[in-house]
Amino acid sequence: MNSVEDLCSLITRAVTPTSSRRAGRAPSVPIEPDTRLLDLGILDSLAVLSVVSEIERTLDLEFPETEIVATNFRTPENLWKFVSTLRTQVS
């Protein structure tokens, strides 16, 4: 994952049920860098955990529990900024 657009794709995969992905269906709202994930109900608590899990698996890093807060998940851009900072700290 090298960009906020890659993160948007990851979020789309994480919030789209497997059966819908197989049928070629995406979420009803396209996920763009400025999509309001929480305000639009795209992410709920389970979806946030799914996204965190995918980020950890994809980037081989640990997402601190203390950072699983609304501010970091408001938009993919917010999340990308946090993930980029986290990657820098780990390197």
Side-chain angles (χ1 to χ4, degrees):
M1 183 170 29
N2 296 310
S3 68
V4 68
E5 289 78 15
D6 293 342
L7 180 58
C8 288
S9 295
L10 180 145
I11 293 168
T12 299
R13 286 190 311 274
V15 300
T16 305
T18 304
S19 59
S20 293
R21 283 198 307 261
R22 276 191 235 130
R25 286 178 272 168
S28 57
V29 176
I31 298 177
E32 303 289 334
D34 62 346
T35 300
R36 296 180 336 262
L37 300 169
L38 300 174
D39 293 342
L40 295 174
I42 295 169
L43 292 183
D44 59 16
S45 57
L46 291 176
V48 165
L49 294 178
S50 180
V51 169
V52 167
S53 176
E54 282 297 309
I55 290 170
E56 290 179 331
R57 187 185 61 73
T58 301
L59 298 177
D60 192 31
L61 56 81
E62 188 173 328
F63 204 107
E65 286 183 32
T66 57
E67 296 300 333
I68 302 175
V69 294
T71 302
N72 287 333
F73 290 87
R74 290 199 196 287
T75 66
E77 185 66 43
N78 287 49
L79 186 54
W80 179 248
K81 287 176 185 174
F82 175 73
V83 168
S84 295
T85 300
L86 187 59
R87 288 172 81 179
T88 302
Q89 292 172 355
V90 172
S91 298

